Amino acid sequence: REAYIVDSQKSLRPARYKVWQILVSLVGRERDVARKRALEALDRVQRGDNLAQIAKEYSDDSGSKRADGVIDFTLLKDFEQPFGEALTKLKPGDVSNIVETRFGYHVIYLMELMPEKKLSFEEMKPQLLEEARIAFLKSSYDYHIDTIRLDPKLKINVEALDVMRPRIPENVKPVYTPFETIKAPPRNVANP
């Protein structure tokens, strides 16, 4: 209960959005041709045509296209910024105008919104118990390892180490230079 009270941010479940969308990519298309295609799709959505069929015909996003244009409940932070901004202005059942991102032009239909919610202690209890269990196990493991490592009676069997250690002449230098660490670019979860 104390962990629940102290870390109130942990009990806040952010809003999640279930959306239908199409992406008309700029790859291999002129900007005005892509925009015209997106406007055609928007017109069909506004007329009430079948969303799955529109996604199959117009969307260049292979991930959501396989799901008939549907992106299941996703956090706002996982969407591209212009996409997310347009999404926050919609109510369930609303369709956006054309939204341009670095991927191309999108048409967005908000299917469902799971609003932000503060979880009760009872809802958080299983998660808090699991976190406490993991912290206890890690603490016990660290204590056990430190007890062994710091034991003054501990003797190192140098002969056994020498047998296990490969024999490398001292005048041999490594033939490689270690690489610098290269971080991968952040992955956009909404568009894998």
Side-chain angles (χ1 to χ4, degrees):
R1 191 172 292 275
E2 185 177 320
Y4 175 79
I5 293 168
V6 169
D7 193 357
S8 61
Q9 284 299 96
K10 189 182 285 188
S11 63
L12 193 61
R13 187 192 67 203
R16 297 176 192 280
Y17 299 82
K18 181 175 182 179
V19 299
W20 173 91
Q21 67 100 32
I22 63 149
L23 164 67
V24 179
S25 176
L26 296 173
V27 176
R29 289 190 184 99
E30 295 292 324
R31 189 171 289 280
D32 57 337
V33 172
R35 184 167 177 74
K36 183 179 177 190
R37 185 171 167 82
L39 285 169
E40 288 172 15
L42 175 61
D43 183 51
R44 287 192 53 191
V45 171
Q46 290 172 335
R47 284 194 320 237
D49 290 358
N50 182 291
L51 295 177
Q53 188 61 39
I54 296 170
K56 282 181 177 49
E57 291 177 28
Y58 288 90
S59 189
D60 295 322
D61 176 13
S62 59
S64 66
K65 189 175 187 175
R66 279 191 299 273
D68 296 332
V70 177
I71 300 173
D72 212 357
F73 289 102
T74 305
L75 297 173
L76 192 62
K77 69 178 181 66
D78 294 333
F79 291 109
E80 188 79 9
Q81 184 181 2
F83 191 105
E85 286 175 7
L87 195 55
T88 58
K89 296 174 185 168
L90 299 176
K91 290 182 241 140
D94 287 352
V95 179
S96 72
N97 288 320
I98 304 297
V99 177
E100 184 177 357
T101 69
R102 63 186 168 115
F103 300 108
Y105 294 105
H106 300 262
V107 176
I108 306 166
Y109 169 75
L110 180 56
M111 299 176 79
E112 290 182 56
L113 169 63
M114 196 182 300
E116 181 177 85
K117 178 185 176 191
K118 178 151 176 67
L119 300 173
S120 70
F121 172 69
E122 290 305 317
E123 292 170 309
M124 289 290 299
K125 189 174 180 179
Q127 178 184 340
L128 294 170
L129 286 171
E130 181 62 13
E131 289 172 1
R133 186 185 76 77
I134 290 170
F136 174 76
L137 290 174
K138 183 181 179 330
S139 171
S140 297
Y141 174 81
D142 291 344
Y143 174 77
H144 183 67
I145 293 297
D146 286 344
T147 303
I148 294 169
R149 188 179 302 135
L150 301 173
D151 185 356
K153 296 179 214 155
L154 182 67
K155 302 274 191 232
I156 297 175
N157 187 339
V158 178
E159 292 170 4
L161 280 177
D162 285 341
V163 170
M164 293 186 317
R165 188 177 328 179
R167 303 274 181 216
I168 301 173
E170 290 185 27
N171 61 352
V172 174
K173 294 183 180 174
V175 292
Y176 71 94
T177 9
F179 295 104
E180 290 184 27
T181 302
I182 300 172
K183 292 185 179 180
R187 183 169 177 202
N188 186 340
V189 177
N191 204 356

